[in-house]
Amino acid sequence: MKSNMELLKELMEKEAAGELTNKERMKIPQQPMPEQDPNERRSNINEVALGYTEEQARIEAMRCLDCKNAPCIEGCPVQIDIRSFVKQIADGKFTEALDTIKQTSLLPAVCGRVCPQETQCQETCTLGKVMKDPMKAVSIGRLERYVADRCAEQSESPKVAEDTGKKVAIVGSGPGGLVAAADCRRAGHKVTVFEAFHKPGGVLMYGIPEFRLPKELVAKEIETLKQMDVEIMCNFIIGKTRSISQLMNEDGYDAMFLAVGAGLPRFMNIPGENLIGVYSANEYLTRANLMNAYKFGSESDTPIIRGGKVAVIGGGNVAMDAARTALRLGAESVKLIYRRTEKEMPARIEEIHHAKEEGVEVNILKSPIEYKGDEEGWVKSMVCQSFELGEPDDSGRRRPVPIEGSEEEFEIDTVIVAIGNKANPLLRRATPELEYNKWGNINIGENCETNLPGVYAGGDAALGAATVILAMGHGRTAAKAINDYLAEKS
């Protein structure tokens, strides 16, 4: 079997001779992502995926069919010129590849790790369609990560236009807010980012664990904004510290983008949810990630329950993050409880695979109906009911139907509820003049505009639940609309 070095040399010679046809490219083996051993990684917080080697990256890039219509770009919410940067990687032009990405994305190291490419750019990839599996498409995210990591110190900060004299407020420093801040600053506006927590980064800092997204990388991306002279103000709660009206009418901001997320966790409203040891995934992951509870000893004094028997309720990426974090905090066992089958789980296939590799026990077609506690108020067991799948619901997934008489009880010490979030009612109470939908999300138009002049919104605050890249897409759309709006006012 040829080594990667030998294979790359052979492919380069064929390409130089004009013999590397698309038929030949389709035969190039997809490059696997090097990873930590499951038995080792479940006991540490280090990143699971180790990243491509140079040979792997160039070989994987050579699988690209260089389609003229570039359907991969259409599949990307921020319209990265994927075809160009993949070709640049194949040619060994790594700095140029990162520069291409950064023309439209401020966060390549982040997106290369956590974006669901298999349902976006890789879903529309021609090679994936030929293979009838988006997981066999060109590994676009892995390539993006490779150049972001390799060339992090070589890439320059985005250029900023001449000062316009206009001020833009970005409320929220998650992915959508960071992108909007960068794009508005590039246009020459003075930009201030307001963040509720004591550290900027939003869900990138408090929601996604270190083993999936090292916080050092997020800090570097935020540092790029600071180098662009974007001001970041933490411990600022919109509706409490200052209102939208005060920022716009008293503090002199000409436009605003609301990227406040959807921070109110959902619960099931079943008996026992108020017992000690029942967490929302938001709280559990915030304690572990933002407040460093994953660190032992004197490095962190954040209280969190460690060890024991843990149950995680849900089937999305947040549920997988919580389950895998619990393992790393010393859980004796972790049960994932999901009321549909694995096929319907909204989590990425890769995350489900990693969780199972690490020892998470997946229990499908079950859902809790009651938690029971001891005399001191601590949760001690969970009663689950079994389900079968009926007709599809509004989401397109088959509706779970309870099976009478199927109840069973499990002994547990900790429950982490990861069934989604909804809009925080604080903004709605503080800003009743802003229009909301029946779920409490901000109503927006196609350019992320709200009913208030100069005020835009996006991400979870408008969608209720969004991926990192969809939030970034809203940030880009809103920034363009803000820049156009301010240009008309000049």
Side-chain angles (χ1 to χ4, degrees):
M1 185 176 179
K2 295 175 185 174
S3 68
N4 279 335
M5 184 70 78
E6 291 170 331
L7 177 58
L8 178 59
K9 183 179 179 182
E10 180 184 307
L11 292 172
M12 289 172 64
E13 288 172 352
K14 282 188 175 181
E15 186 159 46
E19 298 172 357
L20 193 57
T21 64
N22 278 353
K23 191 172 181 180
E24 289 288 324
R25 292 179 189 276
M26 290 180 193
K27 294 177 182 177
I28 299 173
Q30 186 178 42
Q31 298 300 291
M33 172 62 84
E35 297 174 348
Q36 279 196 75
D37 179 87
N39 293 322
E40 292 179 7
R41 71 186 190 227
R42 61 172 284 161
S43 301
N44 68 55
I45 204 70
N46 300 330
E47 192 170 10
V48 169
L50 302 176
Y52 275 165
T53 63
E54 179 177 330
E55 291 79 15
Q56 281 185 300
R58 294 188 65 183
I59 291 168
E60 185 63 30
M62 286 182 178
R63 298 178 68 231
C64 177
L65 304 180
D66 197 25
C67 311
K68 288 185 178 179
N69 60 342
C72 51
I73 299 175
E74 289 301 311
C76 175
V78 294
Q79 302 286 283
I80 293 172
D81 187 355
I82 295 169
R83 183 177 67 170
S84 293
F85 93 72
V86 170
K87 178 68 166 64
Q88 287 163 332
I89 291 173
D91 294 341
K93 299 176 181 178
F94 304 118
T95 302
E96 291 90 334
L98 183 57
D99 289 341
T100 296
I101 295 169
K102 284 204 164 185
Q103 288 173 12
T104 48
S105 174
L106 181 74
L107 308 170
V110 172
C111 290
R113 286 168 165 83
V114 302
C115 286
Q117 289 92 6
E118 66 275 11
T119 61
Q120 293 172 160
C121 54
Q122 289 179 202
E123 186 175 51
T124 56
C125 170
T126 302
L127 181 60
K129 289 185 175 181
V130 170
M131 300 290 185
K132 299 181 180 179
D133 184 354
M135 300 301 290
K136 295 179 180 176
V138 176
S139 300
I140 296 166
R142 294 173 180 178
L143 294 174
E144 181 179 14
R145 169 193 167 150
Y146 174 77
V147 292
D149 290 355
R150 177 183 174 122
C151 305
E153 305 304 324
Q154 301 170 30
S155 183
E156 297 180 0
S157 298
K159 290 182 173 57
V160 174
E162 187 177 340
D163 184 15
T164 64
K166 302 293 185 183
K167 289 172 64 178
V168 179
I170 307 293
V171 184
S173 66
L178 295 179
V179 167
D183 284 4
C184 288
R185 182 66 190 123
R186 284 188 223 219
H189 310 311
K190 178 177 173 53
V191 176
T192 305
V193 176
F194 298 98
E195 168 56 44
F197 279 123
H198 62 284
K199 289 182 182 178
V203 70
L204 304 176
M205 288 297 274
Y206 72 76
I208 303 175
E210 183 80 8
F211 56 82
R212 277 220 293 141
L213 180 63
K215 300 301 164 271
E216 179 186 7
L217 295 175
V218 182
K220 283 182 180 178
E221 304 287 20
I222 292 169
E223 187 58 33
T224 299
L225 279 182
K226 292 179 179 178
Q227 291 170 3
M228 295 170 69
D229 290 329
V230 171
E231 181 183 3
I232 299 178
M233 186 177 296
C234 294
N235 300 307
F236 182 102
I237 301 175
I238 189 72
K240 284 287 186 182
T241 310
R242 300 288 280 171
S243 67
I244 291 175
S245 176
Q246 287 173 321
L247 287 171
M248 296 288 283
N249 300 324
E250 297 176 22
D251 299 341
Y253 286 94
D254 300 287
M256 176 184 295
F257 177 55
L258 296 170
V260 295
L264 190 65
R266 294 182 185 275
F267 283 93
M268 298 176 66
N269 297 318
I270 61 176
E273 279 187 325
N274 61 339
L275 289 167
I276 304 169
V278 179
Y279 291 91
S280 70
N282 270 28
E283 178 187 357
Y284 188 81
L285 290 171
T286 298
R287 285 175 181 268
N289 299 327
L290 185 66
M291 300 169 72
N292 297 329
Y294 66 84
K295 296 179 179 178
F296 291 82
S298 60
E299 292 185 81
S300 173
D301 57 4
T302 301
I304 197 167
I305 298 173
R306 301 175 185 273
K309 297 175 181 177
V310 179
V312 178
I313 316 303
N317 288 323
V318 174
M320 300 303 157
D321 287 343
R324 298 172 69 196
T325 296
L327 283 175
R328 286 158 173 78
L329 290 177
E332 175 187 332
S333 65
V334 178
K335 292 181 185 293
L336 189 81
I337 310 295
Y338 183 60
R339 62 182 187 154
R340 291 181 169 95
T341 70
E342 193 172 309
K343 181 182 178 183
E344 283 81 29
M345 282 185 177
R348 296 184 69 186
I349 294 171
E350 179 180 77
E351 299 309 318
I352 299 170
H353 172 68
H354 282 160
K356 290 166 75 173
E357 274 190 330
E358 292 167 7
V360 173
E361 179 190 325
V362 177
N363 292 262
I364 59 170
L365 294 170
K366 294 183 187 298
S367 184
I369 57 174
E370 181 184 4
Y371 304 116
K372 295 181 179 181
D374 61 19
E375 60 278 1
E376 295 182 356
W378 289 82
V379 66
K380 68 172 186 179
S381 69
M382 169 181 64
V383 179
C384 282
Q385 186 174 40
S386 294
F387 288 76
E388 59 186 1
L389 294 182
E391 294 301 312
D393 61 14
D394 293 341
S395 71
R397 296 177 296 173
R398 293 174 65 190
R399 186 186 304 276
V401 179
I403 300 172
E404 295 299 323
S406 62
E407 295 80 6
E408 54 186 321
E409 191 168 346
F410 298 94
E411 182 183 335
I412 50 167
D413 306 297
T414 304
V415 177
I416 305 167
V417 182
I419 58 172
N421 298 309
K422 53 187 176 181
N424 191 317
L426 176 61
L427 182 64
R428 190 170 190 169
R429 286 199 295 263
T431 320
E433 64 271 26
L434 198 61
E435 289 182 359
Y436 306 85
N437 64 22
K438 63 181 180 180
W439 296 286
N441 304 320
I442 303 169
N443 276 333
I444 60 171
E446 64 176 316
N447 293 314
C448 295
E449 71 276 14
T450 71
N451 64 300
L452 301 181
V455 178
Y456 299 76
D460 286 2
L463 296 175
T467 61
V468 167
I469 193 71
L470 285 175
M472 288 174 61
H474 268 185
R476 166 131 297 133
T477 298
K480 183 181 185 305
I482 288 171
N483 293 338
D484 291 345
Y485 169 77
L486 294 180
E488 290 173 4
K489 288 184 67 176
S490 298

